[in-house]
Amino acid sequence: MHLNMPRLVSTILLFCLLSAGCKAYAQYTDFNLGFLLNFYAYRSVGENDEFWKTTEKSWSHKATSEGIFVNRYISPHTYGNFEFRYIRKGSNKTINGSWAGLSLHYLETPISFGYRFESKYKYFLVEAGFAYACLIRSKVTSRDKNTNAFEVDSTDLSLIRNNEISIHCALKMPLNLNNKENLFLVLRISQSITSFHYTYKMYNLTYGIQLEYIIRGKGNSGR
């Protein structure tokens, strides 16, 4: 188990400071607060074969990520967005016909800048940015091909890094085009730019869809 309390406290403080500092921006819209639910697939890319000591098939695994976000427009078409989320990443491998999976559990703080593209009747949002993630738990789980039973493996995880930095981009489309504009469907992809292993070059890749609902403010409207 990995838990770095100083980094965790710093992450929470950063979120609080950003929330408090939102009033420093120009008054284009109200400060927006909401929550997100991400349905995604994850896998690792890079030197998976060296980590697992096998060249057998590697594949993606499905998971969900939950969190909250704050955003505010900086100009009529540009805005900043900050998230605080729990997310699981890692690697999955077939070894001698059986399944093994490395699960890495993070608290992640993505920071993004977005642009609003609009026409007379519709609009969509494009975001890009980076994220810092703090590892809170890691384990390897295997499934016996004969009994189909799951168990926690004794693989040495001492060389797994306690943090990672990733880049991401997203396309957001409103699901309600009335005055609220507070529900969005998001297509999102993210990949780490720092290896999560000290010895092998292994990078986390996630991709999927996300639902965002704004519970405070006037929504993502720069008009």
Side-chain angles (χ1 to χ4, degrees):
M1 178 176 180
H2 296 260
L3 183 57
N4 191 313
M5 289 305 296
R7 288 197 177 96
L8 177 56
V9 172
S10 298
T11 298
I12 295 173
L13 287 176
L14 178 61
F15 172 74
C16 295
L17 289 172
L18 184 69
S19 299
C22 283
K23 294 184 180 298
Y25 292 117
Q27 299 295 321
Y28 287 103
T29 65
D30 287 346
F31 152 67
N32 297 309
L33 171 66
F35 62 86
L36 60 90
L37 177 61
N38 186 201
F39 302 91
Y40 68 99
Y42 70 85
R43 62 179 300 174
S44 65
V45 295
E47 297 178 345
N48 284 294
D49 295 345
E50 286 79 357
F51 175 79
W52 292 108
K53 307 299 182 184
T54 178
T55 58
E56 292 191 58
K57 182 181 178 181
S58 177
W59 41 277
S60 300
H61 195 75
K62 299 181 181 66
T64 61
S65 173
E66 304 82 23
I68 59 177
F69 65 89
V70 292
N71 61 47
R72 187 182 180 88
Y73 271 78
I74 303 170
S75 74
H77 289 277
T78 60
Y79 63 93
N81 189 72
F82 181 88
E83 301 172 13
F84 184 77
R85 65 166 68 205
Y86 161 80
I87 189 169
R88 187 174 66 175
K89 304 179 184 182
S91 179
N92 298 279
K93 200 76 171 175
T94 302
I95 303 174
N96 298 324
S98 298
W99 171 84
L102 169 64
S103 295
L104 304 174
H105 301 255
Y106 293 95
L107 290 179
E108 186 176 65
T109 55
I111 299 175
S112 312
F113 289 96
Y115 189 85
R116 176 188 176 109
F117 295 87
E118 60 182 73
S119 64
K120 184 177 180 181
Y121 300 105
K122 61 182 179 180
Y123 74 95
F124 62 92
L125 310 169
V126 175
E127 282 183 16
F130 64 93
Y132 172 83
C134 174
L135 184 68
I136 57 175
R137 185 159 63 98
S138 60
K139 66 177 181 178
V140 172
T141 305
S142 58
R143 184 177 68 187
D144 185 273
K145 64 179 180 180
N146 297 317
T147 64
N148 208 34
F150 286 86
E151 62 179 17
V152 177
D153 196 274
S154 59
T155 302
D156 181 17
L157 299 178
S158 61
L159 294 178
I160 299 294
R161 294 180 184 271
N162 287 326
N163 53 72
E164 74 161 19
I165 297 175
S166 60
I167 57 175
H168 59 268
C169 61
L171 173 64
K172 297 186 175 184
M173 296 162 286
L175 295 180
N176 51 354
L177 292 176
N178 53 24
N179 292 330
K180 285 187 176 181
E181 297 184 5
N182 62 348
L183 181 62
F184 294 85
L185 176 66
V186 184
L187 304 179
R188 183 186 181 104
I189 185 169
S190 172
Q191 181 170 326
S192 59
I193 57 176
T194 57
S195 173
F196 63 77
H197 196 277
Y198 280 106
T199 302
Y200 305 121
K201 301 300 181 183
M202 301 175 67
Y203 304 91
N204 285 311
L205 172 66
T206 66
Y207 50 93
I209 61 172
Q210 182 168 296
L211 292 175
E212 293 185 357
Y213 183 74
I214 294 176
I215 57 177
R216 182 182 177 185
K218 296 181 179 179
N220 274 353
S221 176
R223 294 172 292 179

